[in-house]
Amino acid sequence: MFESLTDRLQATFDTLRRRGKLSDADVDTALREVRLALLEADVNYKVVKGFIKRVKERAIGQEVLKSLSPGQQVVKIVHEELMETLGEPGRLNLGMQSPAVIMMVGLQGAGKTTMSAKLALHLRKKGGRPLLVGADVYRPAAIDQLETLGKQLNIPVYHEGPDGSPPEVCANGVALGKKEGHTVVILDTAGRLNIDAMMMDEIKAIKSQTEPIETLLVADAMTGQEAVRVATDFNEAVDISGLVMTKIDGDARGGASISMREVTGVPIKFLGTGEKLSDLEIFHPDRLASRILGMGDVLTLIEKAQEEMDQEEAAKAGQKLLEGQFTLDDFLSQMQQIKKLGPLGKVMEMIPGFGQAAKGVDMSEAEKDLKRIEAIIQSMTMLERQRPKLIKASRKRRIAAGSGTSVQAVNKLLRDFRDMQKVMGQLRKRGGLKALGGMLGGGNNPFGL
Amino acid sequence: MRFLILAHFQLFPTTQHPPPNTHYPTPNTQKIMFKSLRDSLKKTRQSVFGQIVNALGAGEIDEETWEDLEALLIQADMGVETTLFVVERLQNRVRDEGATQTDQLLALLKEELRAILVEPDDFSMEEPREITVVLVVGVNGSGKTTSIGKLANRYKQVGRNVVVVAGDTFRAAAIDQLKVWSERADVPIIAGSPGQDPAAMAYDGIRAARGRGYDLIFVDTAGRLHTKYNLMRELEKIYSVCQRSVHQAPHEVLLVIDAPTGQNALTQAKQFKQSVAVTGVILTKLDGTSKGGMVFSIYRDLGLPVRFVGTGEKLENITPFDPDQFINGLFDASEPARPQQEESLTEQESPPDESTADDQSKKRRWFSRS
């Protein structure tokens, strides 16, 4: 959507610098870029205004003008200020009372039902005994949906069918949770418009009857300028205690989270990051700030890699690389590991600086290349994979036929692999491989995670 | 200008709304200093576009007019680019036509906005044809299933032989949800089982519907984010299956976008259009406070018309898109004002920090780059 804010600001400053000394007015010019970036990211207009004012105060105080790279300086300030606005990652407060009641509220289609199930799973992983309560009697099959999800997770769901009265259903659910020794009761309420007075009265009634310790506003990360109003209205009605941003796995910059956080003052507690019920993340202000600025998200990538990759396997591969014994077999397993991270395009986007580069490349082609390489290696014998030098003309023909590719493709792979080994050898001589090995090893994470 | 807004609010003393709750949840220390900002934010509580009418009420067109206009358009989710486009066009017209008063501006603004919403071609769902296949796509939670239910009802009412195909085999209970809608609309449903291959489901569904002589087939699909490569590939497969099932199908591919969506709506539309040749948009949840300003960008960038708007949870809450009504709706100050004790706080807002001549050239540069 927009190139990195850093580049844009640097370009602005470079132009200005040619005129000689930078002035306060020049900072204003740069801040206009920041303003546009934030508006494009769906941060609310008014929130942006206040934000820019705060950034300006800091920028002027910090001698940005004398700095060699004022663009980067301004971005740093903006990033810090964004993080400060986003606040500390909110933790779920379950209190001392059991069961702890969590009420989920929000607009239609924000993702409350899915999020309720995700949260239940998350809390069970932490040792809790969750009970889900289906209080959406309006949307067709909403209760069925919650029940299906409950079955998938083997978590009980309480409901009274589509004819129940939501406040009663919730109160009964909490009573049942207490009786049956559940530690957490999650109330999945119907989606409602913040201006629908009757429906807002309903969640007020649910709140007063069940006294939830957490009232979470579930909001779509793609929400636009109205985020402010939605958050304010829900907050006024039921005094929300936390925000949950869903569908953050799309490519919306998620500026709504800033707006909502700013007007309610309540922390962001969770992010919904995918369709799987385990796709729930604790909120990290630094990552969201980077995302809002379009700066990539290398931390998420590393974390994902750690989650999805086989650590032992990776450690072994790292060791082999260090010792110069990396074979085509190891190469194949590395490739398969990377594939687990998701579509290449998405992986690339998470690497700072690659997001833009990745846009120009047809990732589906790259994806096909990977598949071809996989097929070629799989068409080799074990011995060939260990000792690629054995592969001469006749073997090449066999491999090409077996993988449905051409001899040229086999040649290219072998050449690439040789080149890689060469580079590795050079790195090894310079001792630069230690760090790389560590990275692949995963065990001692260079990023200190 | 601000005085005018204030004056307007006081014209409506009998408000139904409760006075704004001045209680905030215990703010942490860091938040306290931003309280004034938070208070001033309450201003957005009035319908944004309604404010345009007030803001442009009367007086001379000056810098502040443009700034207010820009603010209001952006707050309606029109997006930076489209906002700057509209403002610039207006500025040119004001100069060319010698308008000096703000009350002349509203009519011009409406004209400019109307010009963006180009009248679309004939709508194949309305044309007589032996069989019409309509594929409905969109991101999660935008309202696809609900819209299909409402549309099925609408076309059944006018005598069409409607059937719905439950192509969302992924989301829990999505099939049940469509079943309830099909009962409400009293149209048959063709459904398989959860987890089934959706493309196969679509193919079988369309063939079966065709065999039984239905003439309007709605195919539901699972919600998917346009960034999910594999899911978009799956959708492409569903699309090509539709193509093979009936000549020239799918006749319409309708993308469902909900009005609260911000600038990402354009990206969604681009991606879905690229994958499955979207022919039109259904704009849902327009009964909330969101005005759906992002459809202007979708018209401008992609030439995709809005075909229907969803305005509630009831079966009949769907209407064909009427551009004039839509634009008038934008300016409809239907929202009664609230007591504006926070008005005084606007003084604390930062002074206008933009819209100098320099800024104009800057905007143009920004504009030309995109």
Side-chain angles (χ1 to χ4, degrees):
Chain A
M1 206 161 152
F2 57 90
E3 64 267 51
S4 122
L5 181 63
T6 317
D7 297 348
R8 228 158 91 173
L9 282 176
Q10 201 56 54
T12 308
F13 278 116
D14 287 348
T15 324
L16 292 171
R17 209 193 290 277
R18 274 182 227 123
R19 294 203 322 243
K21 212 166 155 262
L22 291 170
S23 68
D24 277 7
D26 294 338
V27 172
D28 283 346
T29 314
L31 287 179
R32 259 175 234 132
E33 291 287 344
V34 178
R35 177 174 168 271
L36 286 179
L38 293 173
L39 287 174
E40 283 172 77
D42 284 327
V43 182
N44 181 275
Y45 185 86
K46 299 268 172 75
V47 174
V48 170
K49 221 167 181 178
F51 184 87
I52 293 294
K53 203 173 146 196
R54 298 200 301 268
V55 170
K56 187 177 175 179
E57 276 159 20
R58 286 182 63 171
I60 288 173
Q62 289 191 6
E63 313 229 320
V64 167
L65 306 178
K66 285 183 204 149
S67 148
L68 276 175
S69 52
Q72 283 169 24
Q73 279 282 343
V74 170
V75 168
K76 187 161 166 278
I77 294 171
V78 171
H79 194 263
E80 282 169 8
E81 192 64 42
L82 270 179
M83 274 173 60
E84 218 163 283
T85 310
L86 285 166
E88 288 298 305
R91 298 207 174 276
L92 212 52
N93 165 26
L94 296 181
M96 302 304 276
Q97 217 172 4
S98 186
V101 179
I102 303 175
M103 177 162 87
M104 313 291 275
V105 299
L107 296 177
Q108 289 96 337
K112 287 173 297 304
T113 305
T114 306
M115 188 45 72
S116 298
K118 284 181 178 180
L119 200 53
L121 176 65
H122 173 77
L123 291 171
R124 191 181 59 191
K125 276 187 193 160
K126 301 232 157 194
R129 287 196 64 219
L131 171 71
L132 287 161
V133 176
D136 182 355
V137 299
Y138 306 100
R139 180 164 63 94
I143 291 171
D144 297 333
Q145 185 185 353
L146 191 65
E147 267 206 308
T148 310
L149 295 174
K151 255 182 222 145
Q152 279 173 22
L153 299 173
N154 202 14
I155 289 172
V157 175
Y158 176 80
H159 66 86
E160 296 175 11
D163 299 320
S165 137
E168 270 173 43
V169 176
C170 289
N172 293 344
V174 172
L176 181 82
K178 195 165 190 171
K179 202 177 111 200
E180 296 192 342
H182 288 281
T183 56
V184 193
V185 177
I186 300 170
L187 310 175
D188 177 29
T189 68
R192 65 204 70 223
L193 287 173
N194 46 313
I195 48 165
D196 187 334
M198 251 168 59
M199 289 294 283
M200 292 305 272
D201 283 346
E202 184 193 280
I203 42 170
K204 282 185 208 163
I206 294 175
K207 174 136 190 165
S208 70
Q209 289 196 25
T210 59
E211 293 178 352
I213 187 157
E214 286 276 5
T215 304
L216 302 179
L217 174 63
V218 182
D220 192 325
M222 300 181 279
T223 311
Q225 297 282 321
E226 281 297 294
V228 155
R229 181 172 171 150
V230 170
T232 311
D233 286 352
F234 272 99
N235 198 25
E236 278 182 12
V238 290
D239 214 352
I240 58 178
S241 62
L243 298 165
V244 180
M245 305 306 294
T246 60
K247 305 179 209 171
I248 200 102
D249 46 329
D251 57 358
R253 299 234 177 255
S257 51
I258 296 249
S259 310
M260 289 185 151
R261 156 84 189 159
E262 178 86 9
V263 289
T264 59
V266 303
I268 300 168
K269 298 207 166 169
F270 292 102
L271 305 175
T273 56
E275 304 218 9
K276 277 184 287 173
L277 290 173
S278 56
D279 290 337
L280 177 78
E281 264 179 34
I282 309 289
F283 157 72
H284 297 278
D286 48 344
R287 298 185 197 174
L288 201 55
S290 300
R291 181 195 180 100
I292 289 167
L293 295 177
M295 284 164 62
D297 190 355
V298 81
L299 289 180
T300 300
L301 180 65
I302 289 171
E303 221 170 57
K304 230 177 142 112
Q306 282 184 331
E307 247 173 55
E308 302 281 345
M309 286 185 168
D310 184 337
Q311 294 301 315
E312 239 170 81
E313 191 99 341
K316 246 191 268 165
Q319 192 59 35
K320 280 185 176 167
L321 255 183
L322 275 176
E323 292 162 5
Q325 291 170 351
F326 198 73
T327 65
L328 276 167
D329 227 6
D330 300 319
F331 186 56
L332 179 68
S333 93
Q334 286 287 304
M335 238 166 42
Q336 284 163 341
Q337 300 257 10
I338 287 172
K339 265 169 72 179
K340 281 196 216 159
L341 294 180
L344 269 186
K346 198 177 158 190
V347 175
M348 297 282 276
E349 267 169 36
M350 284 191 267
I351 305 173
F354 270 89
Q356 212 54 37
K359 292 244 159 63
V361 186
D362 187 357
M363 276 301 141
S364 56
E365 277 307 312
E367 206 103 24
K368 273 184 206 151
D369 273 349
L370 271 188
K371 263 197 192 134
R372 258 196 295 274
I373 293 173
E374 218 179 317
I376 292 175
I377 298 179
Q378 278 167 342
S379 298
M380 296 176 186
T381 66
M382 280 304 165
L383 190 67
E384 284 164 352
R385 292 186 209 180
Q386 303 295 329
R387 294 168 60 188
K389 277 188 184 141
L390 288 177
I391 304 172
K392 297 275 163 15
S394 142
R395 286 182 194 256
K396 279 179 190 165
R397 276 198 300 278
R398 193 202 78 240
I399 292 166
S403 57
T405 56
S406 60
V407 172
Q408 284 87 342
V410 178
N411 274 334
K412 183 169 186 307
L413 170 67
L414 290 172
R415 201 167 48 236
D416 287 351
F417 185 70
R418 252 197 323 271
D419 289 349
M420 189 182 85
Q421 277 184 322
K422 242 185 248 163
V423 173
M424 289 298 166
Q426 283 162 0
L427 270 175
R428 191 165 56 244
K429 276 177 209 145
R430 289 188 214 142
L433 251 186
K434 273 259 153 58
L436 190 58
M439 241 172 108
L440 285 163
N444 60 11
N445 191 313
F447 292 85
L449 276 171
Chain B
M1 195 78 52
R2 296 240 151 71
F3 172 74
L4 283 172
I5 300 176
L6 191 64
H8 171 81
F9 290 133
Q10 286 162 351
L11 285 174
F12 299 86
T14 50
T15 164
Q16 292 287 311
H17 287 261
N21 191 345
T22 46
H23 167 76
Y24 284 97
T26 328
N28 59 34
T29 43
Q30 170 221 336
K31 288 275 81 124
I32 289 172
M33 57 182 179
F34 306 139
K35 188 166 182 303
S36 66
L37 170 77
R38 218 153 51 216
D39 285 351
S40 73
L41 274 168
K42 285 194 161 188
K43 265 186 66 182
T44 53
R45 298 174 56 81
Q46 291 94 46
S47 148
V48 157
F49 264 106
Q51 284 182 42
I52 294 185
V53 186
N54 310 324
L56 305 183
E60 297 246 322
I61 297 172
D62 55 16
E63 273 307 320
E64 206 185 347
T65 312
W66 297 117
E67 198 192 314
D68 285 351
L69 187 63
E70 183 197 282
L72 295 168
L73 295 179
I74 279 176
Q75 285 178 86
D77 287 321
M78 210 171 274
V80 173
E81 197 181 316
T82 303
T83 296
L84 296 180
F85 171 81
V86 170
V87 169
E88 203 170 85
R89 299 261 313 187
L90 266 184
Q91 283 173 334
N92 290 341
R93 284 194 61 179
V94 163
R95 198 188 49 230
D96 295 347
E97 293 167 28
T100 55
Q101 298 299 307
T102 50
D103 52 3
Q104 295 167 282
L105 212 50
L106 182 61
L108 295 180
L109 176 60
K110 280 189 180 181
E111 274 178 40
E112 286 302 329
L113 291 176
R114 184 66 183 82
I116 295 174
L117 305 181
V118 185
E119 209 70 62
D121 302 334
D122 293 338
F123 190 26
S124 66
M125 271 167 78
E126 308 282 355
E127 291 165 15
R129 187 184 291 106
E130 200 178 321
I131 186 163
T132 306
V133 178
V134 181
L135 186 63
V136 180
V137 301
V139 299
N140 316 59
S142 54
K144 288 173 295 300
T145 308
T146 308
S147 297
I148 289 181
K150 293 173 182 174
L151 285 175
N153 177 63
R154 180 181 171 82
Y155 281 94
K156 167 145 184 138
Q157 298 292 321
V158 297
R160 297 284 284 271
N161 212 348
V162 183
V163 64
V164 296
V165 176
D168 182 357
T169 54
F170 176 77
R171 205 199 70 205
I175 298 175
D176 297 325
Q177 188 182 350
L178 189 62
K179 268 185 188 152
V180 175
W181 280 109
S182 78
E183 278 160 25
R184 288 183 185 173
D186 191 24
V187 302
I189 178 171
I190 298 176
S193 46
Q196 202 179 339
D197 175 55
M201 181 63 232
Y203 188 77
D204 292 348
I206 295 170
R207 300 296 290 198
R210 189 181 186 180
R212 291 180 219 163
Y214 293 103
D215 62 24
L216 183 55
I217 306 171
F218 289 101
V219 182
D220 194 10
T221 61
R224 67 200 74 222
L225 292 177
H226 52 287
T227 48
K228 307 257 164 168
Y229 177 76
N230 293 332
L231 294 180
M232 292 309 278
R233 286 298 302 272
E234 178 189 274
L235 193 63
E236 285 164 23
K237 193 173 160 202
I238 297 173
Y239 178 81
S240 72
V241 154
C242 289
Q243 284 181 310
R244 264 176 279 147
S245 64
V246 173
H247 181 58
Q248 286 186 329
H251 304 89
E252 290 289 336
V253 180
L254 297 179
L255 172 67
V256 182
I257 297 177
D258 65 7
T261 308
Q263 294 317 296
N264 196 244
L266 181 62
T267 321
Q268 286 172 27
K270 261 184 204 155
Q271 294 294 325
F272 274 98
K273 191 182 177 195
Q274 198 185 355
S275 280
V276 293
V278 173
T279 57
V281 171
I282 303 178
L283 184 62
T284 59
K285 306 180 196 172
L286 209 55
D287 47 332
T289 48
S290 297
K291 295 293 186 181
M294 75 283 181
V295 302
F296 289 99
S297 309
I298 295 179
Y299 265 90
R300 235 164 54 80
D301 273 33
L302 304 173
L304 276 182
V306 180
R307 292 298 189 176
F308 296 99
V309 293
T311 52
E313 293 182 334
K314 291 201 202 70
L315 201 51
E316 57 276 12
N317 290 152
I318 198 158
T319 48
F321 179 68
D322 176 342
D324 295 308
Q325 204 184 342
F326 180 72
I327 289 170
N328 282 329
L330 298 175
F331 301 104
D332 180 12
S334 56
E335 196 86 20
R338 304 179 180 220
Q340 293 301 309
Q341 67 201 55
E342 64 265 25
E343 270 308 307
S344 59
L345 282 161
T346 55
E347 307 312 320
Q348 294 175 22
E349 269 178 29
S350 55
D353 58 5
E354 51 252 316
S355 280
T356 55
D358 189 45
D359 192 32
Q360 280 307 318
S361 71
K362 172 136 217 71
K363 281 173 182 171
R364 237 163 276 140
R365 185 171 71 75
W366 188 89
F367 187 68
S368 62
R369 182 170 53 225
S370 43

